[in-house]
Amino acid sequence: MLSLLLAAGALGYTYRKYSRLGRVQLGSALAEEVASSEPQNVLLVGVDSAADLAPDDPVALGREGGLRSDTMMVLRVEPEAEQAHLLSIPRDLWVPLASGGNQRINTAIQTGGAPELIDTIEGYFGIPIHHYVQVDFAAFRDLVEVIDGVPVWFDAPARDRKSGLDVPAQGCVTLDPTQALAYVRSRAFQSQEDGRWRTDPTGDHGRMQRQQEFIVSALRRAVSKGARNPVVLDQLLDAVLAAVTVDDQWRAEGIAGLALQFRLFEPERLQRHVLPVVEDTIGGADILRLVASEAEPILR
């Protein structure tokens, strides 16, 4: 009887904890849900939205309204193998949208919301999406704040005049929430070499690699802050639950079960992938095209 009461109490705690998650209605856009012990794909989207920022916030100044996907990644988790893969999707990738016509993939969410983006990814890449997680600018900064910044190594002074990144010296720099956001959003990344500022020639490819490295550093930081201590983990969870939005089909026990299975996962074991692309232009606009033959083994 005591075991039953404890189990019931734990289940009730889980429901109360995860009931605070923001939800987005996705209807039938998601693939059929699988058990938390089965392999599954989670679409992680950082949206280009200043909706929750103060009007005088530097990030919000001069921005147009509407919603665009600034960062798109597919996280594949394989609980039995205790493995996870992270695939970055370039925002300027030219794709056939699920609703018709061809466009950059970052316009899909603006065209038809998260369901359009999910349907486009499934249709073009053949990747079933089981769950969806969304973070905006304000939420991203909140997550960085709760782990007291994220350490990032810079080979040289770095900057991005568009995003606001400003790293004056070489070395390991713990980026605060504002500089962390500027770093992961940087599309005009420059480093100083021999007294001159040089723009990163790798474009979106370099941006995606920096984002993936940042995620590993953030996970490592969370662990160092005590994420494997139940009390500290509870505090971190509170911050995460307040910052992210997930699909309406992801039940509390599914999230908790997945988190439990990966509680000892080492950040360095995260397998990172970037899609092979080539640069092109359409109507004078820069785009990226998928190199299908090279992408096939990654997608498979």
Side-chain angles (χ1 to χ4, degrees), residues 22-296:
R23 298 282 182 171
V24 58
Q25 301 295 316
L26 294 181
S28 59
L30 295 171
E32 184 176 352
E33 188 171 5
V34 297
S36 61
S37 59
E38 295 295 317
Q40 53 194 286
N41 303 317
V42 183
L43 178 59
L44 310 175
V45 177
V47 293
D48 187 346
S49 171
D52 293 327
L53 299 177
D56 59 349
D57 191 300
V59 178
L61 297 178
R63 302 194 64 80
E64 299 178 359
L67 193 67
R68 289 167 294 277
S69 47
D70 188 67
T71 299
M72 290 156 284
M73 299 179 176
V74 177
L75 174 66
R76 177 168 179 80
V77 291
E78 301 172 352
E80 288 192 2
E82 296 184 351
Q83 187 54 271
H85 297 259
L86 190 66
L87 171 68
S88 291
I89 300 174
R91 52 173 281 164
D92 289 340
L93 188 66
W94 193 254
V95 299
L97 297 180
S99 59
N102 296 290
Q103 253 305 343
R104 292 189 184 102
I105 195 168
N106 75 318
T107 65
I109 200 168
Q110 189 176 17
T111 301
E116 173 79 3
L117 178 58
I118 292 169
D119 290 342
T120 295
I121 289 174
E122 289 190 349
Y124 186 60
F125 297 115
I127 300 176
I129 301 298
H130 301 94
H131 291 295
Y132 177 85
V133 176
Q134 178 177 300
V135 180
D136 63 17
F137 291 161
F140 176 87
R141 295 200 307 203
D142 289 343
L143 292 173
V144 173
E145 183 175 8
V146 78
I147 55 175
D148 297 327
V150 176
V152 174
W153 172 264
F154 291 88
D155 292 326
R159 72 181 186 185
D160 185 327
R161 290 176 169 174
K162 293 182 179 179
S163 74
L165 178 67
D166 182 17
V167 179
Q170 176 197 44
C172 186
V173 179
T174 299
L175 299 179
D176 64 20
T178 298
Q179 283 295 293
L181 180 60
Y183 178 72
V184 299
R185 293 184 61 232
S186 175
R187 304 188 75 203
F189 185 86
Q190 293 183 309
S191 58
Q192 196 174 57
E193 299 177 19
D194 300 324
R196 299 180 59 186
W197 289 102
R198 301 185 185 276
T199 300
D200 179 11
T202 61
D204 259 358
H205 188 84
R207 179 177 187 257
M208 291 184 294
Q209 287 187 321
R210 289 192 296 272
Q211 289 174 341
Q212 291 183 348
E213 290 167 1
F214 181 89
I215 287 176
V216 172
S217 295
L219 291 172
R220 192 184 300 118
R221 178 74 161 181
V223 171
S224 71
K225 287 291 180 180
R228 288 174 181 155
N229 177 299
V231 175
V232 176
L233 177 60
D234 191 63
Q235 296 170 347
L236 290 173
L237 278 176
D238 282 338
V240 172
L241 296 176
V244 304
T245 298
V246 302
D247 65 83
D248 57 320
Q249 304 299 311
W250 211 351
R251 295 189 294 271
E253 59 267 32
I255 299 174
L258 195 61
L260 181 64
Q261 292 179 76
F262 278 85
R263 69 191 184 282
L264 299 179
F265 183 78
E266 294 295 339
E268 289 75 12
R269 292 185 56 206
L270 179 66
Q271 299 293 307
R272 293 171 276 172
H273 310 275
V274 176
L275 289 173
V277 296
V278 292
E279 297 179 355
D280 199 358
T281 59
I282 288 186
D286 294 330
I287 66 165
L288 298 171
R289 293 190 185 276
L290 185 71
V291 182
S293 59
E294 296 178 16
E296 183 182 358

Side-chain angles (χ1 to χ4, degrees), residues 6-24:
L6 290 173
L11 185 60
Y13 170 81
T14 299
Y15 275 105
R16 289 194 302 274
K17 177 73 76 175
Y18 290 95
S19 66
R20 306 201 316 273
L21 271 169
R23 298 282 182 171
V24 58

